[in-house]
Amino acid sequence: MTGTATVVGAGIGGLATAIGLRRAGWTVTVLERRTELERYGAAFGIHPTAQSALDRLGVGDALRDHAVPYRDAHIRTPEGTPMARLPLERIESKAGRPELLISRPYLLDALLAGLDAFGDVPLKLGERVTDLDDLAAGQDLVIGADGIRSAVRTDRFGDRSGPRRVGTVAWIGIADLESPVHGETWGSGRFFGLTPVEPGRTNWYATVPEATTAEELRASFAGWHDPIPRILDATDPATWIRYEMRHLHPALPSFVSADARPASRVTTDARPASRVTTGARPTPVALVGDAAHAMTPNLGQGACTAILDADALTRALAAAPPGPAGTAGALRAYDAERRRSAQRTAFASRTLHRFMSTERTRLRDAAVRLLPG
């Protein structure tokens, strides 16, 4: 089937969804509340399943042009002693291709180039959603890809599910220094990760509950194994990103809706939240990415799950018969394929965060040493 759709949000999930819909023959508009796209340089891990999805979207080659394989990574103690190997080789052996790492700006550029190639998909910046009724007028589908604080989700699904803090502050950056080792180092209540991102540079991430400044972060890892202190010294603190880790809670009962919205509404600052949906059929809505299942970053699956959402949704719509019943059936198929899988990943990531961040390190480390490899 084909139709008209508005995608709210121009992040990884939103752009991938827009590409998939346009490839399926839909007329698509993309709205982004920011006046420019975020281009911070954190690295994304792209699992082979997500690579296959990007191939189906026609941007797999552009991904590989700037990505590097992720291999030979370990979990270490702060002294540098390896405790276990990350399962990267098993993933590669099973999939026939390695996990890839790519800087966020490069992945965005690949998706933007894929979208621009159509020549007829407008990307409108500085567009903030304040009323889903107005936005959905004349549309066959609205996709909420607008992140953990999704206005689309709140309007259609209510505010029961929303951002919840996990009590940890994370730091990320890219150093102009190539690390000789990769993986994660787990200490007491804190950890530090190192991954390749491109030749001559290293992507790093860290959590320290009590650190609020660059100096405090450096001091927290001053006694840890090489090259962690050197990596921090080689990174300009002005480029570091510090954020509070959050996840979406409670989990949504569905990623899709064609029902009238609840009483809680999104409006402009001065507009009353009152207009009630009448007998007209409400425009269907589907959520993708963080709007549907924002998770902690511990499994490194946030970008992958957004890409898989986009692929599953657009495949279901492309195969559906025309008309509202076809759209409804496609949305049900998307929800059935993606919701439980994505929510299991989110739960596993939260569980891993608690495990990594514990102060009971002797028990944790003993368990880690039992892992294969």
Side-chain angles (χ1 to χ4, degrees):
M1 70 174 298
T2 61
T4 59
T6 295
V7 178
V8 182
I12 303 302
L15 294 175
T17 302
I19 290 171
L21 286 171
R22 184 61 188 84
R23 285 172 66 88
W26 283 62
T27 299
V28 185
T29 299
V30 182
L31 308 181
E32 169 57 47
R33 65 178 178 84
R34 297 179 178 86
T35 56
E36 59 181 0
L37 298 183
E38 287 189 333
R39 305 192 67 80
Y40 59 83
F44 286 146
I46 307 297
H47 189 276
T49 55
Q51 295 172 41
S52 297
L54 289 172
D55 286 334
R56 288 189 289 271
L57 294 173
V59 296
D61 288 341
L63 164 78
R64 286 181 284 274
D65 284 344
H66 292 283
V68 296
Y70 193 23
R71 299 184 175 106
D72 192 26
H74 294 78
I75 301 171
R76 293 178 169 84
T77 67
E79 295 75 29
T81 303
M83 294 189 289
R85 182 187 294 271
L86 296 181
L88 301 170
E89 283 70 25
R90 292 204 302 276
I91 291 172
E92 182 172 356
S93 177
K94 181 178 180 180
R97 63 170 85 180
E99 176 135 348
L100 297 178
L101 290 160
I102 186 169
S103 175
R104 188 178 193 275
Y106 287 144
L107 182 54
L108 276 176
D109 286 344
L111 293 169
L112 287 168
L115 199 63
D116 289 343
F118 295 110
D120 59 1
V121 181
L123 169 56
K124 300 180 180 181
L125 301 177
E127 295 282 341
R128 186 179 294 273
V129 174
T130 56
D131 191 318
L132 197 60
D133 283 329
D134 291 343
L135 173 68
Q139 301 294 298
D140 296 305
L141 180 64
V142 173
I143 295 93
D146 48 340
I148 191 170
R149 294 181 176 85
S150 171
V152 175
R153 184 188 65 238
T154 301
D155 186 287
R156 184 54 61 91
F157 295 82
D159 57 6
R160 178 172 177 267
S161 295
R164 172 168 290 192
R165 296 176 180 176
V166 299
T168 302
V169 174
W171 303 69
I172 56 177
I174 293 182
D176 293 323
L177 172 68
E178 192 162 333
S179 174
V181 298
H182 298 117
E184 294 182 338
T185 301
W186 295 3
S188 177
R190 66 191 67 183
F191 57 85
F192 198 98
L194 297 164
T195 72
V197 63
E198 56 186 303
R201 309 185 80 196
T202 299
N203 176 75
W204 62 265
Y205 51 93
T207 66
V208 180
E210 65 272 19
T212 59
T213 67
E215 292 76 14
E216 289 174 346
L217 186 69
R218 283 173 168 153
S220 298
F221 295 101
W224 286 36
H225 69 81
D226 187 72
I228 291 175
R230 289 195 294 122
I231 289 289
L232 291 174
D233 288 341
T235 314
D236 180 1
T239 66
W240 298 7
I241 297 172
R242 178 183 183 272
Y243 67 97
E244 285 197 58
M245 289 172 60
R246 293 176 169 86
H247 65 102
L248 186 67
H249 182 84
L252 289 168
S254 177
F255 288 176
V256 301
S257 173
D259 300 326
R261 64 195 44 71
S264 174
R265 294 285 314 281
V266 176
T267 64
T268 57
D269 292 342
R271 186 183 302 172
S274 60
R275 192 163 82 239
V276 177
T277 302
T278 61
R281 178 189 296 271
T283 299
V285 169
L287 302 177
V288 300
D290 283 353
H293 48 69
M295 62 189 70
T296 65
N298 302 84
L299 282 177
Q301 291 294 302
C304 289
T305 52
I307 292 165
L308 293 173
D309 290 349
D311 176 57
L313 175 60
T314 56
R315 280 190 289 104
L317 289 165
T327 302
L331 295 188
R332 288 193 297 270
Y334 161 65
D335 189 64
E337 179 176 341
R338 289 298 304 146
R339 179 164 50 87
R340 289 187 179 180
S341 174
Q343 290 175 348
R344 282 196 299 267
T345 301
F347 176 77
S349 192
R350 291 196 306 274
T351 302
L352 179 60
H353 174 74
R354 290 192 292 268
F355 185 68
M356 293 169 64
S357 303
T358 184
E359 295 183 355
R360 299 179 178 179
T361 59
R362 294 180 64 182
L363 181 61
R364 179 200 64 193
D365 293 354
V368 168
R369 291 186 175 97
L370 296 176
L371 295 175

